[in-house]
């Protein structure tokens, strides 16, 4: 005899609740393996849940990762009672309408150092420097990037394009040179919604004489 799902429950939701951690853990498991942000609708369709249910679970996970897991009136007493309330090293963000797990921004320096100096480094220093120039000066030509870096960047630009981090942005109306800009994939990897969220460089570049030769009046 087939047992019917409780009223107000999606057919797939009852199956998920039989798993360790229930539907919330199922959402978390999916978030751990996706390689690009997923919308609430996509998560709901894949898990057999309602969008409203997924939205609530995402909000709960976001609070948990930030340490807001204690519901007792007295936070100190609840913590001593064994309820965890420490923020995780990762957080759940909604980037351009999609949800994904990212390392917490507070640990950006630590993670960056590990990625750049550890075994997981995927881009060379030259590639990272070129990508930074393109990110802050886009749309920009290869000749412009080469002038700023003082070296030929043709091969590096090809590598960045192959990795999906930059793309063609048309041509310069005056010189006819190909222009490049960063992609949505770049934003996803950086964990930001737009290039406007990139940190300002000016405070870190004091006393650079002749910089106006390469940068316009707005600076970077």
């Amino acid at each position: 005899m087939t047992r019917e799902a409780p009223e107000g429950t999606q057919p797939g939701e009852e199956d998920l609740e039989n798993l360790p951690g229930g539907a919330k853990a199922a959402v978390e498991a999916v978030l751990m393996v996706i390689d690009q942000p997923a919308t609430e609708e996509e998560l709901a369709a894949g898990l057999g849940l309602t969008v409203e249910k997924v939205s609530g679970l995402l909000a709960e996970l976001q609070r948990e990762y930030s340490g807001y897991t204690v519901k007792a009136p007295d936070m100190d007493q609840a913590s001593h009672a064994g309820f965890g309330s420490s923020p995780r090293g990762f957080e759940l963000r909604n980037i351009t309408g999609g949800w994904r797990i990212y390392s917490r921004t507070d640990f950006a320096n630590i993670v960056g150092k590990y990625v750049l100096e550890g075994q997981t480094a995927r881009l060379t220093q030259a590639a990272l420097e070129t990508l930074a120039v393109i990110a802050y000066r886009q749309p920009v030509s290869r000749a412009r990037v080469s002038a700023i870096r003082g070296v030929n960047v043709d091969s590096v630009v090809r590598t960045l394009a192959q990795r999906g981090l930059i793309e063609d942005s048309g041509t310069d109306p005056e010189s006819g040179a190909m222009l490049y800009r960063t992609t949505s994939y770049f934003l996803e990897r950086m964990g930001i919604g737009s290039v406007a969220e990139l940190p300002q460089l000016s405070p870190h570049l004091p006393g650079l004489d002749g910089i106006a030769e390469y940068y316009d009046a707005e600076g970077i």
Side-chain angles (χ1 to χ4, degrees), residues 27 51 70 98 101 110 118 139 144 154 175 178 198 204:
V27 172
V51 174
V70 179
I101 292 175
I110 296 175
R144 179 81 166 184
D154 288 358
S175 66
M178 182 76 70
L198 288 169
H204 304 288

Side-chain angles (χ1 to χ4, degrees), residues 22-39:
K24 182 166 67 174
V27 172
E28 185 176 42
V30 172
L31 290 170
M32 291 295 293
V33 300
I34 58 177
D35 57 5
Q36 60 183 5
T39 66

Side-chain angles (χ1 to χ4, degrees), residues 139 169-179:
S169 183
T171 57
D172 187 313
E174 296 183 0
S175 66
M178 182 76 70
L179 299 176

Side-chain angles (χ1 to χ4, degrees), residues 11-95:
E13 182 176 345
E14 186 178 20
D15 294 334
L16 294 179
E17 292 301 340
N18 292 327
L19 297 172
K24 182 166 67 174
V27 172
E28 185 176 42
V30 172
L31 290 170
M32 291 295 293
V33 300
I34 58 177
D35 57 5
Q36 60 183 5
T39 66
E40 295 175 9
E41 290 77 12
E42 290 170 341
L43 292 169
L47 293 169
L49 301 172
T50 64
V51 174
E52 291 74 18
K53 177 69 174 181
V54 168
S55 178
L57 294 175
L58 289 170
E60 287 185 31
L61 288 171
Q62 194 172 43
R63 288 195 298 269
E64 287 183 14
Y65 296 162
S66 296
Y68 304 115
T69 58
V70 179
K71 299 181 180 180
D74 191 322
M75 297 287 286
D76 293 332
Q77 291 182 6
S79 180
H80 290 307
F83 293 88
S85 59
S86 298
R88 310 286 182 83
F90 51 87
E91 59 188 350
L92 182 58
R93 300 185 209 163
N94 186 335
I95 302 295

Side-chain angles (χ1 to χ4, degrees), residues 145-206:
V145 178
S146 293
I148 293 173
R149 293 202 57 231
V151 296
N152 186 291
V153 298
D154 288 358
S155 63
V156 177
V157 167
R158 284 195 296 270
T159 297
L160 294 174
Q162 290 170 354
R163 298 287 185 90
L165 295 169
I166 63 173
E167 63 185 0
D168 173 7
S169 183
T171 57
D172 187 313
E174 296 183 0
S175 66
M178 182 76 70
L179 299 176
Y180 293 91
R181 65 187 176 193
T182 52
T183 62
S184 59
Y185 177 66
F186 167 81
L187 297 178
E188 293 170 12
R189 301 303 296 176
M190 291 293 294
I192 57 178
S194 71
V195 292
E197 297 178 33
L198 288 169
Q200 292 296 310
L201 293 186
S202 298
H204 304 288
L205 302 173

